[in-house]
Amino acid sequence: MKVVLFCGGYGMRMRGGSDDIVPKPMQLVGPRPLLWHVMRYYAHFGHKEFVLCLGYGAEHIKNFFLTYQETASNDFVIRDGQVELLGTDISDWSITFVDTGVESAIGERLRRVREHLDGDEFFLANYADVLTDAPLDTMIERFHASGAAASMMVVPPQSSFHCVDITDSGEVKDIMPVARMPLWENGGFFVLSQEIFDLLPPGGDLVADACGTLAGQGRLFGYRHLGFWKPADTFKERAELDDAYRNGSRPWMVWESA
């Protein structure tokens, strides 16, 4: 299936200020940007046709692939002055770059790339800043078995804060870590049918508008994942992923254990 990736937002929580022009998907984890890690995950499961919804920082994303250096993440031999690669990353990928606007909501970005999906009955979609070790094949199989029109991965709350049960008089009855509460949050990694476009108004949002409507109809499937899942919304989260990469703890790099 084709994979639509939303990589056009400002990402202000990741950037070091208004003068930091590198978009969030291009922040590094190891020698490669977040976006590459997300794409490599999908490619591992055989989904190698990508549609990138560009906006802020589009030139950085374009230039990365236009000047892609395979030697940064592949072994190679130099013989007689020529580089012989012992492996490749993206040689069999198809990547479509689409300007979907700087200010567009995610639903609007999706609307603007519809023509590049060739009318495929089903396709995948995701944010460009979240990594996981989830079994994508199983996720897709369970979506089809559910008969739903769309699915999203759901994960336990990731917050390190605590919730407080307090009475009107101010008496605290209980304190519980958010992560232990019986809640699930949107983890991205969508499997969508073409029907999703019928539910997206101009300028609309994928989750609030389309998925919300399907949930009300009982036609949205949630794939529960209890394994590794980590966003990179902030400097701290990106740094944690980078440290994990350098320490050899890379559960999202499922292609390494294949």
Side-chain angles (χ1 to χ4, degrees):
M1 286 186 279
K2 293 184 177 66
V3 183
V4 176
L5 295 177
F6 308 114
C7 41
Y10 284 109
M12 290 301 295
R13 285 179 294 177
M14 174 71 78
R15 292 160 57 201
S18 59
D19 58 343
D20 183 354
I21 60 175
V22 178
K24 181 165 59 172
M26 297 308 295
Q27 300 287 340
L28 295 180
V29 173
R32 295 295 196 195
L34 280 162
L35 177 60
W36 178 90
H37 288 270
V38 175
M39 297 171 74
R40 194 75 168 78
Y41 167 85
Y42 282 104
H44 169 72
F45 290 99
H47 308 283
K48 302 179 181 181
E49 295 183 72
F50 299 96
V51 180
L52 304 186
C53 300
L54 305 178
Y56 175 81
E59 66 277 8
H60 291 275
I61 297 173
K62 291 176 181 178
N63 288 336
F64 171 74
F65 288 104
L66 287 171
T67 60
Y68 192 80
Q69 298 292 322
E70 289 275 16
T71 53
S73 49
N74 289 285
D75 295 335
F76 61 94
V77 176
I78 296 179
R79 181 178 291 112
D80 298 326
Q82 300 296 315
V83 175
E84 299 178 12
L85 289 167
L86 300 180
T88 63
D89 296 324
I90 71 171
S91 60
D92 58 348
W93 294 4
S94 169
I95 309 174
T96 301
F97 300 81
V98 184
D99 181 1
T100 57
V102 174
E103 304 290 345
S104 301
I106 285 179
E108 180 60 26
R109 295 190 189 283
L110 182 55
R111 279 168 44 88
R112 295 186 184 188
V113 300
R114 183 176 188 177
E115 63 182 287
H116 300 286
L117 297 174
D118 301 326
D120 293 355
E121 184 178 2
F122 301 102
F123 61 96
L124 306 172
N126 201 7
Y127 311 111
D129 60 356
V130 59
L131 305 179
T132 189
D133 64 353
L136 184 59
D137 288 346
T138 301
M139 195 186 315
I140 294 171
E141 289 171 5
R142 291 188 182 175
F143 159 70
H144 286 306
S146 73
S151 77
M152 63 167 64
M153 178 192 291
V154 295
V155 297
Q158 303 296 304
S159 173
S160 60
F161 294 106
H162 290 73
C163 282
V164 177
D165 182 8
I166 188 170
T167 67
D168 292 339
S169 64
E171 179 187 354
V172 174
K173 307 295 288 186
D174 192 17
I175 299 176
M176 179 182 292
V178 173
R180 286 178 49 197
M181 298 189 69
L183 300 172
W184 297 87
E185 65 181 39
N186 170 24
F189 294 87
F190 301 92
V191 186
L192 305 173
S193 68
Q194 283 286 326
E195 187 178 345
I196 206 76
F197 291 106
D198 298 331
L199 305 174
L200 280 173
D205 183 73
L206 173 60
V207 175
D209 292 316
C211 290
T213 299
L214 289 174
Q217 299 172 352
R219 303 179 61 233
L220 178 68
F221 177 72
Y223 177 83
R224 295 183 179 93
H225 181 58
L226 295 172
F228 178 84
W229 179 91
K230 189 173 182 63
D233 281 336
T234 65
F235 278 115
K236 179 177 181 292
E237 289 169 338
R238 200 280 309 166
E240 289 171 347
L241 284 169
D242 192 49
D243 287 343
Y245 177 92
R246 298 186 187 285
N247 292 332
S249 177
R250 313 166 185 174
W252 70 89
M253 298 180 68
V254 291
W255 54 93
E256 289 191 334
S257 59

